[in-house]
PDB file of all heavy atoms in Angstrom:
ATOM      1  N   LYS A1474     -23.954 -32.888 -37.059  1.00  0.00           N
ATOM      2  CA  LYS A1474     -24.612 -33.519 -35.899  1.00  0.00           C
ATOM      3  C   LYS A1474     -25.818 -32.649 -35.592  1.00  0.00           C
ATOM      4  O   LYS A1474     -25.813 -31.426 -35.708  1.00  0.00           O
ATOM      5  CB  LYS A1474     -23.667 -33.552 -34.684  1.00  0.00           C
ATOM      6  CG  LYS A1474     -22.512 -34.596 -34.817  1.00  0.00           C
ATOM      7  CD  LYS A1474     -21.772 -34.697 -33.602  1.00  0.00           C
ATOM      8  CE  LYS A1474     -20.638 -35.777 -33.643  1.00  0.00           C
ATOM      9  NZ  LYS A1474     -21.178 -37.114 -33.829  1.00  0.00           N
ATOM     10  N   GLU A1475     -26.896 -33.303 -35.267  1.00  0.00           N
ATOM     11  CA  GLU A1475     -28.158 -32.596 -34.944  1.00  0.00           C
ATOM     12  C   GLU A1475     -28.631 -32.992 -33.558  1.00  0.00           C
ATOM     13  O   GLU A1475     -28.649 -34.180 -33.179  1.00  0.00           O
ATOM     14  CB  GLU A1475     -29.234 -32.998 -35.983  1.00  0.00           C
ATOM     15  CG  GLU A1475     -28.961 -32.652 -37.401  1.00  0.00           C
ATOM     16  CD  GLU A1475     -30.054 -33.015 -38.350  1.00  0.00           C
ATOM     17  OE1 GLU A1475     -30.520 -34.169 -38.293  1.00  0.00           O
ATOM     18  OE2 GLU A1475     -30.439 -32.170 -39.151  1.00  0.00           O
ATOM     19  N   ARG A1476     -29.103 -32.057 -32.838  1.00  0.00           N
ATOM     20  CA  ARG A1476     -29.789 -32.228 -31.583  1.00  0.00           C
ATOM     21  C   ARG A1476     -31.301 -32.344 -31.825  1.00  0.00           C
ATOM     22  O   ARG A1476     -31.811 -31.521 -32.508  1.00  0.00           O
ATOM     23  CB  ARG A1476     -29.502 -31.070 -30.608  1.00  0.00           C
ATOM     24  CG  ARG A1476     -28.036 -31.021 -30.140  1.00  0.00           C
ATOM     25  CD  ARG A1476     -27.776 -29.965 -29.052  1.00  0.00           C
ATOM     26  NE  ARG A1476     -28.043 -28.647 -29.558  1.00  0.00           N
ATOM     27  CZ  ARG A1476     -28.240 -27.579 -28.739  1.00  0.00           C
ATOM     28  NH1 ARG A1476     -28.242 -27.723 -27.441  1.00  0.00           N
ATOM     29  NH2 ARG A1476     -28.373 -26.397 -29.230  1.00  0.00           N
ATOM     30  N   TYR A1477     -31.853 -33.346 -31.203  1.00  0.00           N
ATOM     31  CA  TYR A1477     -33.335 -33.566 -31.383  1.00  0.00           C
ATOM     32  C   TYR A1477     -34.008 -33.223 -30.035  1.00  0.00           C
ATOM     33  O   TYR A1477     -33.577 -33.787 -28.952  1.00  0.00           O
ATOM     34  CB  TYR A1477     -33.623 -34.971 -31.885  1.00  0.00           C
ATOM     35  CG  TYR A1477     -35.008 -35.166 -32.438  1.00  0.00           C
ATOM     36  CD1 TYR A1477     -35.098 -35.215 -33.844  1.00  0.00           C
ATOM     37  CD2 TYR A1477     -36.135 -35.212 -31.708  1.00  0.00           C
ATOM     38  CE1 TYR A1477     -36.358 -35.323 -34.417  1.00  0.00           C
ATOM     39  CE2 TYR A1477     -37.400 -35.327 -32.243  1.00  0.00           C
ATOM     40  CZ  TYR A1477     -37.493 -35.312 -33.579  1.00  0.00           C
ATOM     41  OH  TYR A1477     -38.750 -35.544 -34.187  1.00  0.00           O
ATOM     42  N   PHE A1478     -35.160 -32.476 -30.132  1.00  0.00           N
ATOM     43  CA  PHE A1478     -35.858 -32.032 -28.927  1.00  0.00           C
ATOM     44  C   PHE A1478     -37.325 -32.303 -29.135  1.00  0.00           C
ATOM     45  O   PHE A1478     -37.819 -32.330 -30.231  1.00  0.00           O
ATOM     46  CB  PHE A1478     -35.731 -30.539 -28.681  1.00  0.00           C
ATOM     47  CG  PHE A1478     -34.343 -30.080 -28.368  1.00  0.00           C
ATOM     48  CD1 PHE A1478     -33.481 -29.644 -29.380  1.00  0.00           C
ATOM     49  CD2 PHE A1478     -33.867 -30.063 -27.054  1.00  0.00           C
ATOM     50  CE1 PHE A1478     -32.171 -29.170 -29.173  1.00  0.00           C
ATOM     51  CE2 PHE A1478     -32.529 -29.616 -26.803  1.00  0.00           C
ATOM     52  CZ  PHE A1478     -31.762 -29.158 -27.794  1.00  0.00           C
ATOM     53  N   PHE A1479     -38.039 -32.432 -28.013  1.00  0.00           N
ATOM     54  CA  PHE A1479     -39.510 -32.372 -27.961  1.00  0.00           C
ATOM     55  C   PHE A1479     -39.813 -31.001 -27.291  1.00  0.00           C
ATOM     56  O   PHE A1479     -39.404 -30.725 -26.120  1.00  0.00           O
ATOM     57  CB  PHE A1479     -40.117 -33.426 -27.161  1.00  0.00           C
ATOM     58  CG  PHE A1479     -39.995 -34.784 -27.747  1.00  0.00           C
ATOM     59  CD1 PHE A1479     -39.628 -35.889 -26.887  1.00  0.00           C
ATOM     60  CD2 PHE A1479     -40.131 -35.003 -29.058  1.00  0.00           C
ATOM     61  CE1 PHE A1479     -39.489 -37.174 -27.482  1.00  0.00           C
ATOM     62  CE2 PHE A1479     -39.962 -36.285 -29.636  1.00  0.00           C
ATOM     63  CZ  PHE A1479     -39.600 -37.416 -28.772  1.00  0.00           C
ATOM     64  N   ALA A1480     -40.565 -30.080 -27.947  1.00  0.00           N
ATOM     65  CA  ALA A1480     -41.068 -28.974 -27.277  1.00  0.00           C
ATOM     66  C   ALA A1480     -42.439 -29.238 -26.634  1.00  0.00           C
ATOM     67  O   ALA A1480     -43.244 -29.952 -27.159  1.00  0.00           O
ATOM     68  CB  ALA A1480     -41.297 -27.859 -28.398  1.00  0.00           C
ATOM     69  N   VAL A1481     -42.633 -28.740 -25.444  1.00  0.00           N
ATOM     70  CA  VAL A1481     -43.884 -28.948 -24.657  1.00  0.00           C
ATOM     71  C   VAL A1481     -44.221 -27.569 -23.992  1.00  0.00           C
ATOM     72  O   VAL A1481     -43.439 -26.707 -23.746  1.00  0.00           O
ATOM     73  CB  VAL A1481     -43.705 -30.037 -23.594  1.00  0.00           C
ATOM     74  CG1 VAL A1481     -43.188 -31.356 -24.197  1.00  0.00           C
ATOM     75  CG2 VAL A1481     -42.691 -29.608 -22.519  1.00  0.00           C
ATOM     76  N   HIS A1482     -45.507 -27.451 -23.690  1.00  0.00           N
ATOM     77  CA  HIS A1482     -45.940 -26.340 -22.825  1.00  0.00           C
ATOM     78  C   HIS A1482     -45.443 -26.587 -21.346  1.00  0.00           C
ATOM     79  O   HIS A1482     -45.629 -27.736 -20.899  1.00  0.00           O
ATOM     80  CB  HIS A1482     -47.454 -26.182 -22.839  1.00  0.00           C
ATOM     81  CG  HIS A1482     -47.998 -25.668 -24.149  1.00  0.00           C
ATOM     82  ND1 HIS A1482     -47.795 -24.281 -24.522  1.00  0.00           N
ATOM     83  CD2 HIS A1482     -48.628 -26.165 -25.232  1.00  0.00           C
ATOM     84  CE1 HIS A1482     -48.294 -24.037 -25.628  1.00  0.00           C
ATOM     85  NE2 HIS A1482     -48.858 -25.157 -26.113  1.00  0.00           N
ATOM     86  N   ARG A1483     -44.880 -25.621 -20.761  1.00  0.00           N
ATOM     87  CA  ARG A1483     -44.256 -25.837 -19.479  1.00  0.00           C
ATOM     88  C   ARG A1483     -45.284 -26.294 -18.365  1.00  0.00           C
ATOM     89  O   ARG A1483     -44.923 -27.134 -17.517  1.00  0.00           O
ATOM     90  CB  ARG A1483     -43.602 -24.549 -18.984  1.00  0.00           C
ATOM     91  CG  ARG A1483     -44.543 -23.394 -18.663  1.00  0.00           C
ATOM     92  CD  ARG A1483     -43.761 -22.156 -18.158  1.00  0.00           C
ATOM     93  NE  ARG A1483     -44.654 -21.123 -17.797  1.00  0.00           N
ATOM     94  CZ  ARG A1483     -44.252 -19.925 -17.275  1.00  0.00           C
ATOM     95  NH1 ARG A1483     -43.005 -19.747 -17.169  1.00  0.00           N
ATOM     96  NH2 ARG A1483     -45.164 -19.028 -16.948  1.00  0.00           N
ATOM     97  N   GLU A1484     -46.541 -25.893 -18.540  1.00  0.00           N
ATOM     98  CA  GLU A1484     -47.495 -26.321 -17.535  1.00  0.00           C
ATOM     99  C   GLU A1484     -47.920 -27.800 -17.607  1.00  0.00           C
ATOM    100  O   GLU A1484     -48.471 -28.356 -16.691  1.00  0.00           O
ATOM    101  CB  GLU A1484     -48.771 -25.438 -17.612  1.00  0.00           C
ATOM    102  CG  GLU A1484     -49.547 -25.537 -18.853  1.00  0.00           C
ATOM    103  CD  GLU A1484     -49.111 -24.570 -19.892  1.00  0.00           C
ATOM    104  OE1 GLU A1484     -48.008 -23.992 -19.777  1.00  0.00           O
ATOM    105  OE2 GLU A1484     -49.907 -24.261 -20.789  1.00  0.00           O
ATOM    106  N   THR A1485     -47.528 -28.463 -18.736  1.00  0.00           N
ATOM    107  CA  THR A1485     -47.876 -29.869 -18.859  1.00  0.00           C
ATOM    108  C   THR A1485     -46.755 -30.794 -18.361  1.00  0.00           C
ATOM    109  O   THR A1485     -47.021 -32.043 -18.224  1.00  0.00           O
ATOM    110  CB  THR A1485     -48.158 -30.273 -20.382  1.00  0.00           C
ATOM    111  OG1 THR A1485     -46.877 -30.076 -21.085  1.00  0.00           O
ATOM    112  CG2 THR A1485     -49.161 -29.377 -20.995  1.00  0.00           C
ATOM    113  N   LEU A1486     -45.644 -30.193 -17.891  1.00  0.00           N
ATOM    114  CA  LEU A1486     -44.512 -31.050 -17.505  1.00  0.00           C
ATOM    115  C   LEU A1486     -44.875 -31.890 -16.263  1.00  0.00           C
ATOM    116  O   LEU A1486     -44.313 -32.922 -16.071  1.00  0.00           O
ATOM    117  CB  LEU A1486     -43.297 -30.164 -17.298  1.00  0.00           C
ATOM    118  CG  LEU A1486     -42.524 -29.790 -18.533  1.00  0.00           C
ATOM    119  CD1 LEU A1486     -41.492 -28.737 -18.122  1.00  0.00           C
ATOM    120  CD2 LEU A1486     -41.964 -30.949 -19.169  1.00  0.00           C
ATOM    121  N   GLN A1487     -45.785 -31.342 -15.429  1.00  0.00           N
ATOM    122  CA  GLN A1487     -46.084 -32.015 -14.190  1.00  0.00           C
ATOM    123  C   GLN A1487     -47.301 -32.971 -14.334  1.00  0.00           C
ATOM    124  O   GLN A1487     -47.685 -33.621 -13.414  1.00  0.00           O
ATOM    125  CB  GLN A1487     -46.398 -31.025 -13.047  1.00  0.00           C
ATOM    126  CG  GLN A1487     -45.211 -30.133 -12.739  1.00  0.00           C
ATOM    127  CD  GLN A1487     -43.920 -30.941 -12.445  1.00  0.00           C
ATOM    128  OE1 GLN A1487     -44.005 -31.900 -11.733  1.00  0.00           O
ATOM    129  NE2 GLN A1487     -42.761 -30.469 -12.995  1.00  0.00           N
ATOM    130  N   ALA A1488     -47.921 -33.027 -15.552  1.00  0.00           N
ATOM    131  CA  ALA A1488     -49.036 -33.960 -15.825  1.00  0.00           C
ATOM    132  C   ALA A1488     -48.552 -35.409 -15.602  1.00  0.00           C
ATOM    133  O   ALA A1488     -47.416 -35.736 -16.006  1.00  0.00           O
ATOM    134  CB  ALA A1488     -49.618 -33.718 -17.176  1.00  0.00           C
ATOM    135  N   PRO A1489     -49.396 -36.290 -15.053  1.00  0.00           N
ATOM    136  CA  PRO A1489     -48.975 -37.616 -14.843  1.00  0.00           C
ATOM    137  C   PRO A1489     -48.417 -38.307 -16.049  1.00  0.00           C
ATOM    138  O   PRO A1489     -47.391 -39.008 -15.971  1.00  0.00           O
ATOM    139  CB  PRO A1489     -50.203 -38.260 -14.305  1.00  0.00           C
ATOM    140  CG  PRO A1489     -51.032 -37.145 -13.686  1.00  0.00           C
ATOM    141  CD  PRO A1489     -50.706 -35.990 -14.482  1.00  0.00           C
ATOM    142  N   GLN A1490     -49.064 -38.178 -17.219  1.00  0.00           N
ATOM    143  CA  GLN A1490     -48.665 -38.824 -18.443  1.00  0.00           C
ATOM    144  C   GLN A1490     -47.282 -38.366 -18.889  1.00  0.00           C
ATOM    145  O   GLN A1490     -46.475 -39.120 -19.387  1.00  0.00           O
ATOM    146  CB  GLN A1490     -49.763 -38.655 -19.502  1.00  0.00           C
ATOM    147  CG  GLN A1490     -51.116 -39.261 -19.227  1.00  0.00           C
ATOM    148  CD  GLN A1490     -51.069 -40.765 -19.266  1.00  0.00           C
ATOM    149  OE1 GLN A1490     -50.360 -41.414 -18.492  1.00  0.00           O
ATOM    150  NE2 GLN A1490     -51.908 -41.292 -20.177  1.00  0.00           N
ATOM    151  N   MET A1491     -47.027 -37.038 -18.753  1.00  0.00           N
ATOM    152  CA  MET A1491     -45.762 -36.515 -19.152  1.00  0.00           C
ATOM    153  C   MET A1491     -44.661 -36.961 -18.165  1.00  0.00           C
ATOM    154  O   MET A1491     -43.531 -37.307 -18.655  1.00  0.00           O
ATOM    155  CB  MET A1491     -45.872 -34.999 -19.132  1.00  0.00           C
ATOM    156  CG  MET A1491     -44.680 -34.331 -19.862  1.00  0.00           C
ATOM    157  SD  MET A1491     -44.727 -34.508 -21.663  1.00  0.00           S
ATOM    158  CE  MET A1491     -45.977 -33.340 -22.069  1.00  0.00           C
ATOM    159  N   ARG A1492     -44.963 -37.095 -16.923  1.00  0.00           N
ATOM    160  CA  ARG A1492     -43.920 -37.667 -15.937  1.00  0.00           C
ATOM    161  C   ARG A1492     -43.627 -39.095 -16.369  1.00  0.00           C
ATOM    162  O   ARG A1492     -42.513 -39.593 -16.257  1.00  0.00           O
ATOM    163  CB  ARG A1492     -44.465 -37.595 -14.575  1.00  0.00           C
ATOM    164  CG  ARG A1492     -44.759 -36.186 -14.025  1.00  0.00           C
ATOM    165  CD  ARG A1492     -43.628 -35.176 -14.321  1.00  0.00           C
ATOM    166  NE  ARG A1492     -42.345 -35.685 -13.767  1.00  0.00           N
ATOM    167  CZ  ARG A1492     -41.164 -35.101 -13.929  1.00  0.00           C
ATOM    168  NH1 ARG A1492     -41.137 -33.939 -14.576  1.00  0.00           N
ATOM    169  NH2 ARG A1492     -40.004 -35.563 -13.376  1.00  0.00           N
ATOM    170  N   HIS A1493     -44.725 -39.862 -16.723  1.00  0.00           N
ATOM    171  CA  HIS A1493     -44.482 -41.230 -17.125  1.00  0.00           C
ATOM    172  C   HIS A1493     -43.556 -41.295 -18.329  1.00  0.00           C
ATOM    173  O   HIS A1493     -42.641 -42.175 -18.458  1.00  0.00           O
ATOM    174  CB  HIS A1493     -45.690 -41.919 -17.460  1.00  0.00           C
ATOM    175  CG  HIS A1493     -46.612 -42.312 -16.230  1.00  0.00           C
ATOM    176  ND1 HIS A1493     -46.111 -42.704 -15.039  1.00  0.00           N
ATOM    177  CD2 HIS A1493     -47.963 -42.212 -16.051  1.00  0.00           C
ATOM    178  CE1 HIS A1493     -47.054 -42.925 -14.130  1.00  0.00           C
ATOM    179  NE2 HIS A1493     -48.220 -42.569 -14.769  1.00  0.00           N
ATOM    180  N   LEU A1494     -43.753 -40.403 -19.250  1.00  0.00           N
ATOM    181  CA  LEU A1494     -42.895 -40.398 -20.479  1.00  0.00           C
ATOM    182  C   LEU A1494     -41.428 -40.065 -20.100  1.00  0.00           C
ATOM    183  O   LEU A1494     -40.510 -40.723 -20.636  1.00  0.00           O
ATOM    184  CB  LEU A1494     -43.499 -39.321 -21.471  1.00  0.00           C
ATOM    185  CG  LEU A1494     -42.639 -39.198 -22.786  1.00  0.00           C
ATOM    186  CD1 LEU A1494     -42.721 -40.467 -23.655  1.00  0.00           C
ATOM    187  CD2 LEU A1494     -43.067 -37.960 -23.542  1.00  0.00           C
ATOM    188  N   LEU A1495     -41.187 -39.088 -19.263  1.00  0.00           N
ATOM    189  CA  LEU A1495     -39.822 -38.763 -18.818  1.00  0.00           C
ATOM    190  C   LEU A1495     -39.183 -39.923 -18.115  1.00  0.00           C
ATOM    191  O   LEU A1495     -38.021 -40.255 -18.305  1.00  0.00           O
ATOM    192  CB  LEU A1495     -39.853 -37.477 -17.977  1.00  0.00           C
ATOM    193  CG  LEU A1495     -40.217 -36.199 -18.662  1.00  0.00           C
ATOM    194  CD1 LEU A1495     -40.436 -35.079 -17.632  1.00  0.00           C
ATOM    195  CD2 LEU A1495     -39.182 -35.793 -19.706  1.00  0.00           C
ATOM    196  N   ASP A1496     -39.953 -40.574 -17.310  1.00  0.00           N
ATOM    197  CA  ASP A1496     -39.402 -41.819 -16.620  1.00  0.00           C
ATOM    198  C   ASP A1496     -39.061 -42.916 -17.717  1.00  0.00           C
ATOM    199  O   ASP A1496     -38.068 -43.579 -17.525  1.00  0.00           O
ATOM    200  CB  ASP A1496     -40.478 -42.361 -15.610  1.00  0.00           C
ATOM    201  CG  ASP A1496     -40.697 -41.487 -14.325  1.00  0.00           C
ATOM    202  OD1 ASP A1496     -39.774 -40.603 -14.185  1.00  0.00           O
ATOM    203  OD2 ASP A1496     -41.629 -41.624 -13.675  1.00  0.00           O
TER     204      ASP A1496
END
Side-chain angles (χ1 to χ4, degrees):
K1474 289 186 178 295
E1475 295 179 314
R1476 292 187 292 165
Y1477 199 101
F1478 298 93
F1479 294 137
V1481 301
H1482 286 288
R1483 65 179 186 179
E1484 63 268 19
T1485 66
L1486 283 170
Q1487 299 306 317
Q1490 298 289 60
M1491 195 70 77
R1492 300 309 306 175
H1493 287 322
L1494 179 67
L1495 291 171
D1496 289 343

